[in-house]
Amino acid sequence: MEGLQADLSPNGLTVSTTPEKGRCLLSIKDFSPGEVIISQEPYVSVPNNSAVHSRCEGCFRSSNLKKCSACHVVWYCGSTCQKSDWKLHRLECNALSRLEKERQKSLTPSIRLMVKLYMRRKLQSEKIMPTTARDNYNLVEALVSHITDIDEKQLVLYAQMANLVNLILQWPDINVKEIAENFSKLACNAHTICDGELRPLGTGLYPVISIINHSCLPNSVLVFEERLAVVRAVQHIPKGTEVLISYIETAGSTITRQKALKEQYLFTCTCPRCIRMGQYDDIQESAILEGYRCKDDRCDGFLLRDSDDKGFICQQCGLVRNKEEIKRLASELKPLSDKATMSSSSHYVEATSIYKTIEKLQTKLFHPFSINLMRTREAILKILMEMKDWRAALTYCKLTIPVYQRVYPGFHPLLGLQYYTCGKLEWLLGETEDAVKSLTKAADILQITHGTNTPFMKELLFKLEEARAEASHKRSSKDE
């Protein structure tokens, strides 16, 4: 740990320990919004490959791929990625080549990640691969596993997965119990690697980044530049402040967030947002995001249960909404939601029709700022984009923006990306002035969260300059 402390200190960081949360990352200097706090390459990583879609093992790109001719599992986009991965893949390739085809079908990303973890440890211990203060197996050993908090069913699953890893490795001195515990560590500490638009590409283990604790009101954000994990400040972080990111989707009530954190990460959050649970403003927020709308369509008040539990009272106008009416609408929604989930993504017209019926019912049932309604509109937007129905897509994109503004803080990548989608659609449809406004809002947020040097951000800023030039030309043409 001393080596890590010495390595982090020039970057304005130190590792500390608190009784409540264990290890944490503290700033020992001020950080400004948009400033990189820390970055790390993965100790191990794997792309999310499937039977129909593959990615390069090195850079996670999906074009110009060639399969490894020996193991027939791993893909590369070219010799550069193949050479950089060769020391590790040579070991993995030998192990995977021994597997029967049926066994190869069991190679989930988690199994492969664990196999690579042990192989990297072996190569580093044999000095075939170098170690540094931020890149060594000791950091993995120091990660929390929460193994004692896991239920028996999950423990059995980890044991089965550990036995499969043991079968793949075939090392005489392997500790199966340790592998099972490491699976528990992965569940709590591995990160989903995403592209600039937050689409999942793979999974990686970043032991130093994993020291950073969670908050539902984070002062930093984690994004990825290919496989490199980058943590940037999204607000001013004074010296002596803990660096905090969000582990989960924070749009939702405190109860929903707490449930997600408990299930996946096995802890109860005590951030400033969560300690308000049960207070009036927290109850109000929950009722708006996950509760029902007023009976009067002109009223935007939120509803709470009445004292005899027969209905819900609007806290703004006092109208009572019957419990049975809400039950009826909810019962109509359930089969439709199941049908929408099962509907094939290729049947766009049918899927759109189902989701629009759901939207109509949800509009009657839920508050206008409902998370459920927002998710339905997101689904419709996605389908409309696939169908290239740009005008309708823009309408739905604009419907989601006010909810995004409410549920996310000002510098949140999802809000920036929604402005970006809106701007691209407006520009495509010739609404250049509106496009400039939307793209400017997107750039203002995403320059803080993503920086300015990635291909994604360069494309956004280029689009913004083009839109500004086009808007200026249109204005000057009118003046003439």
Side-chain angles (χ1 to χ4, degrees):
M1 192 56 75
E2 285 180 12
L4 181 61
Q5 293 283 29
D7 184 74
L8 292 175
S9 183
N11 297 108
L13 298 166
T14 187
V15 178
S16 186
T17 306
T18 65
E20 304 84 26
K21 296 192 283 186
R23 293 187 306 164
C24 63
L25 205 62
L26 287 182
S27 65
I28 53 174
K29 71 162 198 174
D30 289 1
F31 285 95
S32 303
E35 190 175 352
V36 173
I37 297 171
I38 188 172
S39 62
Q40 186 182 20
E41 291 285 352
Y43 187 74
V44 283
S45 65
V46 289
N48 288 344
N49 288 345
S50 66
V52 293
H53 195 82
S54 300
R55 295 190 179 278
C56 172
E57 196 74 14
C59 65
F60 287 17
R61 292 195 182 103
S62 56
S63 55
N64 303 318
L65 298 181
K66 288 186 178 178
K67 190 184 282 188
C68 173
S69 57
C71 68
H72 301 288
V73 173
V74 175
W75 298 78
Y76 293 104
C77 66
S79 59
T80 303
C81 284
Q82 189 173 19
K83 284 175 184 175
S84 68
D85 193 46
W86 178 239
K87 283 181 183 177
L88 186 56
H89 183 59
R90 182 172 57 179
L91 261 187
E92 186 192 23
C93 190
N94 288 335
L96 298 182
S97 299
R98 292 193 302 263
L99 284 180
E100 299 169 5
K101 283 194 175 181
E102 282 304 308
R103 286 285 187 190
Q104 283 195 358
K105 291 176 183 177
S106 304
L107 288 173
T108 62
S110 294
I111 296 292
R112 283 202 59 221
L113 202 65
M114 189 61 68
V115 169
K116 291 177 83 170
L117 180 76
Y118 277 88
M119 289 179 169
R120 188 173 178 87
R121 182 180 77 169
K122 178 181 171 65
L123 292 169
Q124 286 185 327
S125 68
E126 294 172 353
K127 306 288 191 269
I128 296 169
M129 292 185 83
T131 60
T132 67
R134 295 192 198 188
D135 181 6
N136 62 81
Y137 188 76
N138 291 338
L139 295 171
V140 178
E141 286 187 313
L143 295 174
V144 175
S145 69
H146 291 291
I147 194 77
T148 56
D149 301 322
I150 293 167
D151 63 42
E152 191 177 342
K153 187 179 177 183
Q154 192 65 43
L155 284 171
V156 169
L157 178 61
Y158 286 157
Q160 290 169 341
M161 292 164 73
N163 281 320
L164 179 54
V165 171
N166 184 31
L167 178 74
I168 294 166
L169 293 173
Q170 294 186 15
W171 294 349
D173 57 345
I174 201 79
N175 186 328
V176 177
K177 190 176 178 183
E178 182 198 75
I179 300 173
E181 185 166 353
N182 275 337
F183 272 118
S184 187
K185 285 182 181 179
L186 287 185
C188 302
N189 294 284
H191 287 91
T192 300
I193 300 169
C194 299
D195 66 8
E197 297 186 59
L198 304 188
R199 293 174 297 213
L201 304 177
T203 308
L205 185 63
Y206 300 83
V208 182
I209 300 290
S210 292
I211 296 170
I212 301 173
N213 284 317
H214 164 85
S215 173
C216 299
L217 281 173
N219 54 22
S220 314
V221 65
L222 170 64
V223 294
F224 295 88
E225 297 174 9
E226 290 190 349
R227 296 187 311 163
L228 181 72
V230 182
V231 178
R232 284 190 178 83
V234 291
Q235 60 190 57
H236 175 66
I237 301 176
K239 179 180 177 181
T241 304
E242 184 180 359
V243 176
L244 297 162
I245 60 173
S246 175
Y247 293 0
I248 57 164
E249 163 65 270
T250 54
S253 68
T254 303
I255 291 171
T256 299
R257 297 194 314 275
Q258 291 277 19
K259 184 173 182 284
L261 289 166
K262 196 72 178 172
E263 286 177 357
Q264 166 110 34
Y265 299 100
L266 305 166
F267 71 86
T268 300
C269 183
T270 56
C271 76
R273 195 173 168 195
C274 286
I275 58 171
R276 291 170 30 235
M277 188 160 72
Q279 296 176 13
Y280 185 78
D281 60 341
D282 180 65
I283 293 168
Q284 176 181 337
E285 188 70 2
S286 298
I288 288 170
L289 298 181
E290 297 175 8
Y292 308 114
R293 72 167 304 140
C294 181
K295 200 172 178 179
D296 184 349
D297 290 345
R298 297 164 298 178
C299 177
D300 62 356
F302 65 97
L303 275 58
L304 296 179
R305 288 179 187 272
D306 61 11
S307 55
D308 57 5
D309 197 24
K310 289 183 179 177
F312 295 83
I313 303 172
C314 177
Q315 302 303 296
Q316 185 164 301
C317 69
L319 276 176
V320 177
R321 191 154 189 198
N322 188 279
K323 192 176 178 180
E324 293 307 312
E325 181 200 358
I326 285 172
K327 273 187 178 178
R328 178 181 57 78
L329 287 169
S331 67
E332 287 179 44
L333 269 172
K334 179 68 172 68
L336 284 168
S337 299
D338 294 341
K339 191 176 179 183
T341 306
M342 292 167 64
S343 67
S344 171
S345 57
S346 59
H347 297 121
Y348 295 135
V349 175
E350 181 191 353
T352 307
S353 175
I354 296 167
Y355 275 115
K356 284 188 175 180
T357 306
I358 291 170
E359 180 196 21
K360 191 175 179 181
L361 285 168
Q362 286 180 334
T363 305
K364 292 178 183 177
L365 182 62
F366 297 127
H367 192 278
F369 285 105
S370 159
I371 296 292
N372 288 322
L373 181 55
M374 181 184 83
R375 297 290 179 229
T376 298
R377 285 172 171 165
E378 285 173 341
I380 296 171
L381 169 60
K382 188 178 178 182
I383 295 167
L384 292 169
M385 295 281 278
E386 292 287 343
M387 293 171 68
K388 296 182 170 53
D389 187 345
W390 310 126
R391 177 61 61 190
L394 177 59
T395 299
Y396 273 90
C397 193
K398 285 181 175 179
L399 284 172
T400 64
I401 293 282
V403 191
Y404 272 63
Q405 289 170 329
R406 183 184 182 100
V407 298
Y408 296 119
F411 290 109
H412 195 288
L414 286 174
L415 177 59
L417 289 168
Q418 206 69 351
Y419 280 131
Y420 186 31
T421 300
C422 201
K424 286 189 289 185
L425 288 167
E426 286 164 336
W427 193 18
L428 190 67
L429 292 164
E431 299 174 12
T432 317
E433 293 286 355
D434 288 339
V436 169
K437 290 175 188 174
S438 296
L439 292 173
T440 300
K441 287 176 182 176
D444 288 345
I445 295 168
L446 296 173
Q447 283 181 107
I448 297 293
T449 62
H450 286 56
T452 56
N453 293 323
T454 61
F456 166 73
M457 281 306 299
K458 285 176 181 175
E459 183 186 344
L460 190 164
L461 294 170
F462 180 70
K463 275 188 170 68
L464 175 56
E465 286 308 309
E466 277 195 308
R468 281 173 174 162
E470 188 177 301
S472 177
H473 176 70
K474 282 184 175 181
R475 283 195 296 269
S476 59
S477 298
K478 280 183 182 178
D479 292 340
E480 291 172 8

